[in-house]
Amino acid sequence: RSGFRIGELLRDDGQSEAALAQWNSFIDKEITGDAALLEELRRSAIFYSGQLLQQMEQLEKARKAFVEYSRRAPDGPDWSAAQESIIAIDARIGERLLQDSRWTEGRTAITEFARIYPLDRRTRPLLLRSAHSHAEEARKLLEEIPEGSKEGETRSKANALFEQTIADLKRIIGKYP
């Protein structure tokens, strides 16, 4: 029990990395005692680790922690919160990829999010963001045309991206009026 509490104290003191290390050690350590209580504390440590990782923008690790919590505690007190966090992380991953100008990966992640969570409140805004990302990519392409280059190919690609923006927006508006 003290191993779990030390992690809580470290977290409350703002020492996120130390809290994560403490909880990971606690989760993996063989401890004798009340097995039910230890499993409950381990589940909580997994959930709190997921929260910290999410706050630290370590999204893939956070998602993995929430999935593990959900697997180990399907009737746990934080199951619903873990599910909501998984959905929020899936949305954030697509957004972050687009922010990093990783256009194809970001649009793919958002398309997958919309497929899995079509009725989620974040789906329409994410799809709109994805559609607008074509125009962002086109503007960046046009800004980067070097002097004396074959700008016709770049302009042609940019025009195709602008047209894709319009096509995506029409499709989204038709599906999500």
Side-chain angles (χ1 to χ4, degrees):
R1 185 175 225 175
S2 63
F4 174 76
R5 280 291 298 144
I6 291 169
E8 285 184 312
L9 293 170
L10 290 166
R11 178 203 56 202
D12 295 346
D13 192 39
Q15 298 180 46
S16 300
E17 295 287 344
L20 287 170
Q22 177 61 37
W23 280 327
N24 285 333
S25 172
F26 173 74
I27 292 164
D28 296 335
K29 194 179 219 178
E30 288 295 323
I31 304 170
T32 58
D34 182 349
L37 175 62
L38 286 170
E39 180 57 22
E40 183 180 327
L41 291 173
R42 284 187 173 110
R43 290 175 185 173
S44 293
I46 292 167
F47 180 78
Y48 293 146
S49 293
Q51 287 182 318
L52 276 180
L53 290 163
Q54 188 174 8
Q55 290 169 5
M56 297 164 64
E57 286 286 311
Q58 294 182 24
L59 301 177
E60 289 79 11
K61 289 180 181 178
R63 188 181 196 288
K64 185 177 175 183
F66 289 124
V67 167
E68 177 63 14
Y69 173 83
S70 298
R71 185 188 67 75
R72 287 176 77 156
D75 57 350
D78 295 311
W79 186 88
S80 293
Q83 295 305 302
E84 176 56 33
S85 292
I86 290 167
I87 296 169
I89 287 167
D90 288 347
R92 180 70 187 113
I93 287 171
E95 290 174 328
R96 188 174 68 185
L97 289 167
L98 291 180
Q99 286 171 350
D100 294 342
S101 300
R102 294 167 59 186
W103 308 113
T104 303
E105 292 172 89
R107 289 190 282 260
T108 300
I110 289 171
T111 300
E112 184 65 9
F113 180 90
R115 185 187 69 73
I116 296 170
Y117 313 109
L119 302 177
D120 187 85
R121 65 182 168 19
R122 293 165 281 234
T123 299
R124 185 176 187 270
L126 281 171
L127 288 170
L128 290 170
R129 172 74 176 93
S130 177
H132 287 286
S133 75
H134 293 288
E136 287 177 53
E137 182 179 5
R139 280 191 289 277
K140 285 191 178 197
L141 274 174
L142 293 173
E143 289 171 3
E144 296 171 0
I145 296 176
E147 295 276 334
S149 71
K150 294 183 179 181
E151 92 177 51
E153 291 175 24
T154 303
R155 287 201 185 282
S156 186
K157 184 173 181 178
N159 285 339
L161 287 165
F162 284 127
E163 288 173 12
Q164 187 62 52
T165 299
I166 294 166
D168 284 359
L169 288 172
K170 285 180 180 178
R171 184 179 46 79
I172 294 164
I173 290 168
K175 188 172 183 176
Y176 297 95

